[in-house]
Amino acid sequence: MSLLEFRKEGIYCPQADVYIDPWRPVKRALITHGHADHSRWGHQYYLCTTSAMPVIRYRLGDINVETIDYGEKKSIHGVQFSFHPAGHILGSAQIRIEYKGEVWVVSGDYKIEDDGFAEAYEPVQCHSFITECTFGLPIYKWKPQQEVFDDINSWWQKNKEEGKVSVLSGYSLGKAQRIIQHLDTSIGQIYTHGAVENVNEVIRSQGVKLQDTIRVHQGLNKKDYIGNMVICPPSAMGSAWIKKFKSASLGVASGWMMLRGARRRRAADRGFVLSDHVDWEGLNTAIEASGAERIFVTHGYTDIFRRWLAEEGYDAQIVETEYEGELTEMSDKTDSNEEE
Amino acid sequence: MKQFAKLFTALDQTTKTNAKVEALAQFFRESEHDQDKLWTVAILSHRRPKRTVNTTLLRHWASEEGSIPLWLFEESYHVVGDLAETIALTLPPDFEEQDQSLTYWIDFIKSLGKLEEEEKREKVKWAWRQLNYAERFIFNKLITGGFRVGVSQKLMVRALAQYTGIEENTLAHRLMGDWTPDDTTFHDLILSSDPMEDLSKPYPFYLAYALDEGPEDLGAPEEWQAERKWDGIRGQLIVRGDELFVWSRGEELVTDKFPEYAVLAEKLPNGTVLDGEILPFKDGRPLSFNLLQTRIGRKNITKNILKKAPVILMAYDLLEWEGQDIRQKPMEERRKLLEYAVAQCNEEVLMLSERLQFDNWEALAEERDKSREYDSEGIMLKRKDSPYRSGRKRGDWWKWKIDPMMIDAVMIYAQRGHGRRANLYTDFTFAVWDGDLLVPFTKAYSGLTDKEFREITAWVRKHTVERFGPVRSVTPHHVFEIAFEGIRASNRHKSGVALRFPRINRWRKDKPKEEANTLADLKAFLNA
Ligand SMILES: [Zn+2]
């Protein structure tokens, strides 16, 4: 019996009888992080990190959830489980599973760079490593985030000088807060779309510090926004909501903005390459650091990345899952239960 | 190169016309080298240095320099869809600073031509190591020859006008013809005047609005003139001072692209300006618009192209006659003069767009239904007493297009998209029934929402029958309504037909695959 199996409900540990990030309703689910394609509705029991819990509960409502701290060990039917920072969003974890000396790691979504907001990624040694490869092509190489934020802030400054509103989209959970935390508020105020502000409120109430933001609401005048920054989810970009802002410059922050074609297809003025997923170098670094010989790739450019790993000498396999990486995050399912 | 890279980045970062013009004008103001300005004008008007390295070699060298296997480079290229960009992305990010001019790098590329392969390889790799990301991309674009910057000649001319204070039409004239930066200078080409330039000046085009409903609300049918709407390039043909000038609707001088019209310089009297459609036309019928497009894209018009896609001018209107601007005369009067001018000229390359006879709107609707027989897109309606206006003004000119043809088809293959959509299946092949067999007849992609693409992608993953590289065959199940503008018999296609502008109109979730259309239904459109 393998320590983990791939079933139609999700990744399954038969010895412990638990699933990790399952996409169909199950009895017991261990959750890597709060994005909609990883923490789904309908499980009878959830286990996630203490810092991921508030948002998951906010999204899923009255669920039966238990929390665990990073590094803390929990034994289920003799299998040792522990959660380790994945650096993807606040509270995101890689889940380490150990049984009779065999170790697996399910990394969920992750990134190597410390973004100053999510708990910084830590490599975890294992025999078998389950990884995403959303950006598993050598064309995806992120710049250090400070350079990207410098670009964003100077774009904001320039828009302000031209009497424009800066509207920047990034998914509501994770990207939005990471951006807010790095904006230069000496330039102006930060306004937020309701979907973003709802998440902000949840995160602040768990004691995490976040720069001040103001929710966009009916009572505000068009000219209040001029020279200021508005953060919204990607879905708001094409909607009527955006018309509130007179003369706005539109920006998109996403890893997909790496490609010129993608930048041009989006009806935005600027594309900033900013992702909460590992880039090509990061993937290879993480896989090497895990010390694993067996690699399972779940979502992204799986065919290509598997072949690359096989040629590099790994026992690499593709697992068909229903995770969607930054695609889901672009569509931003967290919006569905918001007003605005 | 730094200034050009800055210009390129600025142009690439905006979709707004004014911002593009401003970026260009700023470049012209700030650039220290006149030769760089001239090269910029050349590149933006599709005059490029000759290709000195073939792309197969570039791909090999890029994969070596990027330390990735060639197959991985090729897969990346498939996703990116642009060779210059793929190379720039996969090379190691480190570089040594340099500050050579754009002209230096163009000369560098030109000098590669006479070198041995091994020397070229060393030189190109050396260049990559000197350049930052944006500069590498530009270098690669210059070396591979395909530079699409999203700036029309018109915008470039506008910026140049801002910078030099010279009128736009005058500049457009100066830029036409067969020049390269190797045989002229910025001063000689752009700043020195040419006595011919006033002669070439066109009038602004009058553009029609689309008629959404029928023409009934336009009033009395006898107040209107109706013609077929032709699917070519709107153009203005000018004969003045024994010279011929052809302008496209984009206000670009395209005289050189259509040598067929040269004969009109002698056959039409001086002081004649015609408005019409540049139409590929052979054996009494218009040809596919695609042929014209490939022709426009070529720098050199070869004999073969002239034979495959010869053009005529389908004349709509007369704007200047005997040196007089007659645009304020009513349509009917201009039309009489036009008929006279075309008859006098008596050249096959100049045809008159015929007026349609109709006593009432029903009769015109019947004519419209026959549009496809004439390979036309529908009907143009022009008010008989109207002047020739400028730009798009509502009221006097209307286009009444035909509805697209539709067929319900079954999806049988799916292919991944590019870029942001590279994880989604966005390109599909569709089939119709021929007995029990599904015969593929077209590919189509646009027309679904992002949500529908995600839904179909999830479905494709679960219902893949076979994989061929990026393509998957799927269980025949889903029916889509495919809209298209035209159809013709084709031996090269399994189905025996080829479609024009096929696209997905909607997803017919209500229809089981058995109820999709048949090949006979599709072929019935051939005679429709
Ligand atoms: Zn995620």
Side-chain angles (χ1 to χ4, degrees):
Chain A
M1 188 168 67
S2 178
L3 184 51
L4 292 185
E5 293 174 358
F6 303 102
R7 296 198 170 182
K8 67 178 193 304
E9 293 86 356
I11 302 169
Y12 180 62
C13 176
Q15 178 63 33
D17 189 23
V18 298
Y19 286 87
I20 296 167
D21 289 357
W23 45 86
R24 305 253 170 96
V26 300
K27 233 163 73 196
R28 285 196 288 184
L30 277 51
I31 302 294
T32 61
H33 68 288
H35 279 140
D37 55 334
H38 291 262
S39 63
R40 297 194 189 231
W41 193 82
H43 311 310
Q44 290 170 39
Y45 162 91
Y46 293 75
L47 178 66
C48 64
T49 65
T50 314
S51 55
M53 189 276 282
V55 165
I56 292 176
R57 174 156 270 166
Y58 160 74
R59 277 194 44 244
L60 300 180
D62 189 20
I63 52 168
N64 171 25
V65 55
E66 194 184 327
T67 60
I68 186 166
D69 286 334
Y70 287 117
E72 188 187 329
K73 288 204 166 73
K74 184 178 174 75
S75 178
I76 305 173
H77 300 315
V79 183
Q80 293 274 340
F81 291 88
S82 55
F83 287 54
H84 305 268
H88 175 55
I89 59 170
L90 186 69
S92 68
Q94 312 175 70
I95 300 180
R96 181 183 184 277
I97 304 112
E98 178 177 359
Y99 184 63
K100 294 187 176 160
E102 187 185 353
V103 180
W104 289 54
V105 167
V106 179
S107 54
D109 291 337
Y110 64 102
K111 73 166 175 293
I112 307 282
E113 186 184 21
D114 181 359
D115 70 12
F117 193 72
E119 300 85 350
Y121 163 90
E122 289 170 11
V124 185
Q125 294 273 319
C126 59
H127 302 105
S128 300
F129 187 59
I130 302 179
T131 179
E132 61 149 315
C133 58
T134 305
F135 294 104
L137 285 179
I139 53 176
Y140 293 107
K141 293 170 188 161
W142 313 146
K143 288 198 274 185
Q145 71 166 10
Q146 198 47 53
E147 284 182 42
V148 182
F149 288 120
D150 289 347
D151 284 348
I152 291 175
N153 283 317
S154 47
W155 168 72
W156 182 9
Q157 179 68 41
K158 181 164 170 280
N159 291 336
K160 185 184 175 188
E161 284 159 15
E162 292 172 3
K164 288 183 189 162
V165 187
S166 303
V167 181
L168 183 57
S169 86
Y171 52 85
S172 310
L173 170 55
K175 186 83 59 77
Q177 292 75 33
R178 181 180 173 195
I179 294 169
I180 289 166
Q181 205 62 345
H182 292 92
L183 286 174
D184 177 359
T185 48
S186 70
I187 302 172
Q189 294 273 15
I190 307 169
Y191 288 89
T192 46
H193 182 281
V196 172
E197 194 54 31
N198 290 348
V199 176
N200 289 356
E201 281 172 6
V202 173
I203 284 176
R204 285 192 188 103
S205 70
Q206 71 191 82
V208 174
K209 277 211 166 45
L210 189 63
Q211 298 213 79
D212 288 344
T213 51
I214 305 168
R215 183 187 292 260
V216 169
H217 64 86
Q218 301 290 336
L220 291 166
N221 196 301
K222 273 190 181 170
K223 67 177 191 306
D224 294 336
Y225 300 112
I226 291 181
N228 293 318
M229 173 71 80
V230 180
I231 305 290
C232 69
S235 57
M237 283 297 248
S239 72
W241 181 84
I242 208 85
K243 300 207 177 81
K244 285 182 199 297
F245 312 106
K246 233 173 67 189
S247 135
S249 181
L250 308 182
V252 173
S254 162
W256 301 111
M257 293 298 115
M258 192 84 203
L259 301 191
R260 194 165 167 241
R263 288 197 298 273
R264 289 153 80 96
R265 268 191 300 278
R266 295 204 78 79
D269 301 296
R270 278 296 293 274
F272 299 99
V273 185
L274 188 73
S275 178
D276 291 330
H277 295 263
V278 265
D279 65 357
W280 172 257
E281 304 293 344
L283 269 171
N284 285 291
T285 308
I287 287 168
E288 209 186 318
S290 76
E293 277 166 17
R294 195 149 55 134
I295 312 294
F296 295 89
V297 294
T298 54
H299 52 299
Y301 294 98
T302 49
D303 300 1
I304 299 168
F305 194 60
R306 188 212 66 82
R307 181 172 168 196
W308 160 258
L309 290 176
E311 289 188 5
E312 292 287 290
Y314 292 98
D315 170 8
Q317 297 169 43
I318 297 173
V319 186
E320 295 270 348
T321 66
E322 295 186 15
Y323 309 136
E324 294 173 51
E326 199 157 321
L327 284 172
T328 307
E329 291 149 11
M330 290 283 277
S331 76
D332 219 324
K333 287 177 183 159
T334 45
D335 306 352
S336 52
N337 47 357
E338 331 273 0
E339 74 279 48
E340 283 283 355
Chain B
M1 189 74 144
K2 295 244 176 283
Q3 274 162 323
F4 185 76
K6 189 180 144 204
L7 167 67
F8 177 81
T9 306
L11 292 174
D12 215 36
Q13 276 173 356
T14 182
T15 49
K16 302 215 163 59
T17 307
N18 286 342
K20 286 185 179 182
V21 173
E22 178 43 39
L24 274 163
Q26 188 182 356
F27 169 81
F28 288 128
R29 281 195 302 271
E30 290 176 0
S31 176
E32 293 147 21
H33 310 276
D34 268 1
Q35 203 58 15
D36 276 12
K37 292 179 204 168
L38 188 60
W39 265 114
T40 301
V41 171
I43 289 164
L44 295 180
S45 55
H46 313 290
R47 289 171 174 85
R48 288 149 192 152
K50 243 200 231 122
R51 187 178 283 189
T52 50
V53 183
N54 79 44
T55 54
T56 312
L57 291 175
L58 284 173
R59 288 136 95 135
H60 276 96
W61 302 339
S63 81
E64 286 168 18
E65 193 68 4
S67 310
I68 53 172
L70 188 62
W71 69 264
L72 184 54
F73 179 85
E74 298 291 357
E75 290 281 4
S76 302
Y77 178 26
H78 175 79
V79 168
V80 177
D82 180 295
L83 183 61
E85 189 180 359
T86 311
I87 295 173
L89 289 166
T90 52
L91 292 174
D94 298 333
F95 64 95
E96 291 161 33
E97 279 292 341
Q98 55 78 40
D99 196 15
Q100 301 288 359
S101 68
L102 173 66
T103 308
Y104 168 89
W105 288 109
I106 289 171
D107 289 341
F108 178 91
I109 288 168
K110 287 196 291 198
S111 75
L112 297 173
K114 50 186 187 300
L115 302 182
E116 295 297 315
E117 186 179 317
E118 196 47 35
E119 285 178 289
K120 287 186 185 181
R121 176 168 169 263
E122 285 316 308
K123 282 252 194 183
V124 168
K125 287 189 176 183
W126 175 84
W128 283 336
R129 288 178 210 131
Q130 309 306 306
L131 301 167
N132 68 24
Y133 174 78
E135 294 163 347
R136 273 175 192 173
F137 175 71
I138 290 161
F139 176 82
N140 296 339
K141 277 288 179 194
L142 291 171
I143 217 170
T144 55
F147 221 136
R148 256 172 240 266
V149 195
V151 175
S152 64
Q153 170 128 356
K154 194 178 160 190
L155 289 192
M156 193 252 300
V157 166
R158 195 183 298 169
L160 214 45
Q162 269 188 27
Y163 167 60
T164 58
I166 301 168
E167 230 192 290
E168 286 180 38
N169 284 327
T170 307
L171 285 169
H173 176 92
R174 289 180 190 176
L175 290 179
M176 69 180 214
D178 197 17
W179 59 271
T180 84
D182 295 325
D183 50 43
T184 185
T185 64
F186 190 74
H187 184 268
D188 288 353
L189 185 77
I190 312 279
L191 303 178
S192 320
S193 75
D194 172 345
M196 297 295 280
E197 58 207 19
D198 276 352
L199 291 178
S200 75
K201 221 173 252 180
Y203 295 102
F205 284 84
Y206 181 26
L207 306 173
Y209 264 92
L211 203 57
D212 295 328
E213 311 289 320
E216 289 75 16
D217 293 342
L218 296 180
E222 58 272 18
E223 289 174 13
W224 294 85
Q225 168 183 315
E227 298 159 61
R228 300 218 176 270
K229 183 179 185 322
W230 302 107
D231 184 17
I233 297 173
R234 197 61 192 289
Q236 220 175 98
L237 190 142
I238 298 172
V239 177
R240 290 180 193 135
D242 299 327
E243 288 272 335
L244 172 88
F245 308 95
V246 183
W247 293 84
S248 75
R249 205 198 94 185
E251 287 171 39
E252 288 186 50
L253 255 182
V254 290
T255 319
D256 307 338
K257 305 263 178 198
F258 303 106
E260 291 100 324
Y261 298 140
V263 57
L264 297 175
E266 290 162 31
K267 289 300 186 79
L268 287 168
N270 280 321
T272 304
V273 178
L274 292 161
D275 175 8
E277 196 84 9
I278 299 169
L279 198 61
F281 200 88
K282 202 177 178 181
D283 305 329
R285 292 191 79 88
L287 303 170
S288 155
F289 178 67
N290 294 342
L291 283 172
L292 190 55
Q293 256 181 335
T294 47
R295 208 180 136 159
I296 285 279
R298 297 285 170 80
K299 193 166 178 276
N300 299 312
I301 307 298
T302 60
K303 280 216 175 85
N304 189 31
I305 294 178
L306 286 174
K307 217 171 105 190
K308 251 173 60 187
V311 297
I312 55 131
L313 186 79
M314 188 67 94
Y316 293 139
D317 212 330
L318 187 64
L319 313 185
E320 182 176 308
W321 183 241
E322 294 174 340
Q324 298 295 311
D325 173 2
I326 59 165
R327 290 176 298 158
Q328 294 311 309
K329 288 186 191 290
M331 176 86 221
E332 266 197 304
E333 262 184 65
R334 298 198 312 272
R335 173 78 194 186
K336 281 199 190 103
L337 287 170
L338 175 70
E339 288 176 5
Y340 174 77
V342 172
Q344 285 298 108
C345 174
N346 193 25
E347 274 294 333
E348 275 178 13
V349 72
L350 181 62
M351 292 178 69
L352 186 69
S353 168
E354 296 292 341
R355 281 190 290 187
L356 298 173
Q357 299 304 321
F358 66 104
D359 295 327
N360 48 53
W361 294 125
E362 291 78 41
L364 189 63
E366 279 172 30
E367 284 295 339
R368 174 174 170 262
D369 291 340
K370 285 192 254 172
S371 295
R372 288 201 172 93
E373 286 173 39
Y374 294 90
D375 301 301
S376 110
E377 294 185 296
I379 300 283
M380 286 296 303
L381 279 162
K382 298 170 182 174
R383 197 187 289 276
K384 286 179 181 169
D385 63 3
S386 63
Y388 187 94
R389 300 178 188 275
S390 307
R392 206 182 284 279
K393 298 221 171 58
R394 208 172 259 281
D396 288 337
W397 281 23
W398 297 95
K399 48 186 177 192
W400 188 22
K401 285 207 189 185
I402 41 177
D403 301 323
M405 300 187 239
M406 305 270 201
I407 196 123
D408 288 331
V410 184
M411 192 236 294
I412 57 169
Y413 299 109
Q415 184 173 353
R416 278 198 309 241
H418 293 295
R420 183 176 74 90
R421 288 185 160 163
N423 277 355
L424 292 175
Y425 285 85
T426 59
D427 298 11
F428 307 106
T429 301
F430 296 94
V432 283
W433 293 104
D434 185 16
D436 298 342
L437 280 179
L438 278 168
V439 182
F441 69 101
T442 193
K443 280 183 135 195
Y445 35 97
S446 58
L448 294 182
T449 63
D450 275 11
K451 185 167 167 277
E452 285 173 321
F453 276 130
R454 280 196 296 276
E455 190 180 341
I456 197 72
T457 295
W459 185 87
V460 166
R461 288 207 184 109
K462 289 190 196 118
H463 296 87
T464 299
V465 179
E466 266 184 288
R467 296 177 189 212
F468 322 89
V471 180
R472 294 180 177 204
S473 71
V474 297
T475 322
H477 177 74
H478 285 296
V479 176
F480 291 82
E481 187 174 73
I482 308 299
F484 52 101
E485 295 300 322
I487 184 168
R488 61 181 170 81
S490 161
N491 301 327
R492 291 194 300 130
H493 295 80
K494 214 191 238 175
S495 60
V497 297
L499 307 187
R500 230 177 111 231
F501 295 141
R503 60 205 184 263
I504 299 168
N505 200 48
R506 63 191 166 120
W507 188 345
R508 293 296 305 259
K509 289 187 179 166
D510 56 316
K511 269 207 172 178
K513 67 173 189 294
E514 292 75 17
E515 288 177 26
N517 284 108
T518 63
L519 189 58
D521 296 336
L522 186 61
K523 285 189 169 166
F525 281 113
L526 284 170
N527 318 312

